[in-house]
Amino acid sequence: MPIPLLALAISAFAIGTTEFVIMGLLPEVARDLAVTLPSAGLLVSGYALGVAAGAPLLAALTSRMPRKLALQLLMGVFIVGNVLCAVAGNYSMLMVARVVTSFAHGSFFGIGAVVAASLVPQEKRASAIALMFTGLTLANVLGVPFGTFIGQMFGWRVAFWIVAAFGVLSLAGVTALVPNRHDAGPTGLGHEMRVLKDPQVWIALMMTVLGFGGVFVVFTYIAPILEQVSGFAPHGVTLILVIFGIGLTVGNTIGGKLADRALMPSLMGILVALAVVMAIFAKTSHSQIAAGITVFVWGIAAFATVPPLQMRVVEKASAAPNLASTLNIGAFNVGNAGGAWLGGLAIGHGYALDVLPWVAAGVTVLALALTVVAARMDAPSAIVPQRV
């Protein structure tokens, strides 16, 4: 794989770390800023909403920029946002800083995926996107636990200073390694907006919302499930989450390779596997060993969806890849928020925690049904009549 992909992967690692590290530092943040734990938890929601809202906004602002320059600008926003997090004097300032940081997230991954795909031959594009997203999966396995440890030992602000330093390293890598020659050139927002008239683009975005939304129905509540249903102690939950993160990394690689071979058949097969694993987890969650194994397999299936879902949007919006790819990152976050809401709704209506995997399986089946519809819509254009 081309060396520039390393710069994109390092950037993905930094962005993924800053997104999720706050979850492990909420008690420290709440105590330091004298707010309640639920209020501190809104820093997570604020970031997610910032990604969803900031993705199209930054796509509009960078639509006429060369892609390399856009990536440099976005990483600059990321660095500034994390520095503001580190020096935030109160809760309001920290919330603003988190939202500023999140604005770089969607657009960087969106444009970065387009750049990654442009660096390799067509038959390896999904694998290139998967390699960039490996940085995100490694952030869950390594960056978040390390950042949480540093924050707990030396203060939560130090964790954000370190992430800002990773941002500087990422900016240097993009500047030095990402070539300009792979830039397709500025197209303008008006040109890119026209691609949204294609229903296949919207279907691809909805596939992402549902395909990843099912994952977060359970993942949002994975700690209480593992503690209350499986019987793990808190330190045991940490270990299981590391195992889940390893599964994400494996699944990301597998998903990229499968999507390069046959995108839509692979995506349908992955969604079937994901729905089955979720249904199985409803039963295996009652056994610690079985739950650990299932969570690992679930991680594989969950992130195996990411490269084909991202590649599908890039493929269907080839005339406007920047905007569509960026919107798809927003769609992932809409799915995250929607899945969390749906899981909370089920719990609020009195359903037990072990019912959530069934809800997740149902959402995944909806994603599968939409994927089948999209594949059938492709069929007429894929078949060329031949005269004998």
Side-chain angles (χ1 to χ4, degrees):
M1 285 293 179
I3 292 297
L5 287 176
L6 177 61
L8 297 176
I10 292 173
S11 302
F13 177 85
I15 293 172
T17 300
T18 204
E19 178 181 14
F20 297 115
V21 73
I22 190 71
M23 297 178 187
L25 298 174
L26 287 183
E28 288 75 19
V29 172
R31 281 196 301 269
D32 187 47
L33 299 181
V35 298
T36 64
L37 195 60
S39 295
L42 291 178
L43 294 167
V44 178
S45 302
Y47 188 97
L49 293 175
V51 173
L57 175 62
L58 267 294
L61 293 176
T62 60
S63 63
R64 291 189 175 275
M65 291 184 184
R67 288 177 187 142
K68 179 175 179 176
L69 178 60
L71 292 176
Q72 291 171 312
L73 174 63
L74 292 167
M75 192 48 62
V77 172
F78 174 83
I79 295 167
V80 170
N82 278 285
V83 169
L84 290 176
C85 286
V87 302
N90 55 55
Y91 175 79
S92 298
M93 183 177 175
L94 181 57
M95 177 63 80
V96 171
R98 288 286 290 170
V99 173
V100 169
T101 307
S102 73
F103 275 14
H105 181 127
S107 294
F108 191 95
F109 276 117
I111 298 173
V114 176
V115 172
S118 74
L119 292 168
V120 297
Q122 183 172 354
E123 67 274 10
K124 294 183 178 180
R125 290 185 302 168
S127 292
I129 292 174
L131 184 57
M132 184 190 77
F133 275 94
T134 298
L136 183 60
T137 63
L138 288 177
N140 282 276
V141 179
L142 302 174
V144 173
F146 173 73
T148 301
F149 171 77
I150 292 296
Q152 291 171 345
M153 290 294 293
F154 304 104
W156 61 270
R157 298 176 189 276
V158 176
F160 284 105
W161 280 116
I162 291 176
V163 173
F166 269 112
V168 173
L169 177 63
S170 301
L171 176 58
V174 170
T175 301
L177 299 177
V178 175
N180 286 310
R181 65 177 180 273
H182 291 284
D183 196 332
T187 58
L189 182 62
H191 174 79
E192 294 217 343
M193 287 293 290
R194 285 196 289 272
V195 80
L196 297 180
K197 296 179 180 179
D198 184 355
Q200 279 279 40
V201 174
W202 288 104
I203 291 175
L205 292 172
M206 278 305 302
M207 286 160 52
T208 297
V209 171
L210 294 173
F212 220 64
V215 173
F216 267 75
V217 170
V218 173
F219 186 63
T220 304
Y221 302 96
I222 190 62
I225 289 174
L226 292 174
E227 291 180 9
Q228 299 176 31
V229 180
S230 306
F232 284 99
H235 66 273
V237 172
T238 302
L239 176 61
I240 295 299
L241 291 179
V242 170
I243 292 173
F244 178 74
I246 294 172
L248 295 181
T249 305
V250 174
N252 182 60
T253 302
I254 292 174
K257 292 185 180 300
L258 290 176
D260 277 332
R261 293 181 181 179
L263 196 155
M264 291 301 277
S266 295
L267 181 55
M268 286 185 278
I270 293 167
L271 289 173
V272 169
L274 182 57
V276 170
V277 171
M278 285 287 84
I280 291 174
F281 188 50
K283 300 296 183 183
T284 59
S285 60
H286 293 270
S287 166
Q288 290 188 358
I289 295 177
I293 295 172
T294 308
V295 166
F296 174 69
V297 178
W298 172 38
I300 295 174
F303 235 75
T305 64
V306 173
L309 286 171
Q310 189 72 14
M311 193 65 242
R312 174 68 177 181
V313 171
V314 172
E315 182 182 84
K316 286 298 158 186
S318 57
N322 282 12
L323 178 63
S325 183
T326 298
L327 286 175
N328 200 47
I329 302 300
F332 276 113
N333 280 269
V334 171
N336 296 354
W341 172 82
L342 187 58
L345 186 66
I347 294 171
H349 279 76
Y351 290 98
L353 288 168
D354 60 359
V355 173
L356 294 185
W358 287 111
V359 178
V363 174
T364 305
V365 168
L366 290 177
L368 174 62
L370 197 58
T371 304
V372 171
V373 170
R376 289 184 176 178
M377 290 175 67
D378 284 343
S381 60
I383 300 174
V384 180
Q386 295 183 351
R387 294 181 180 274
V388 180

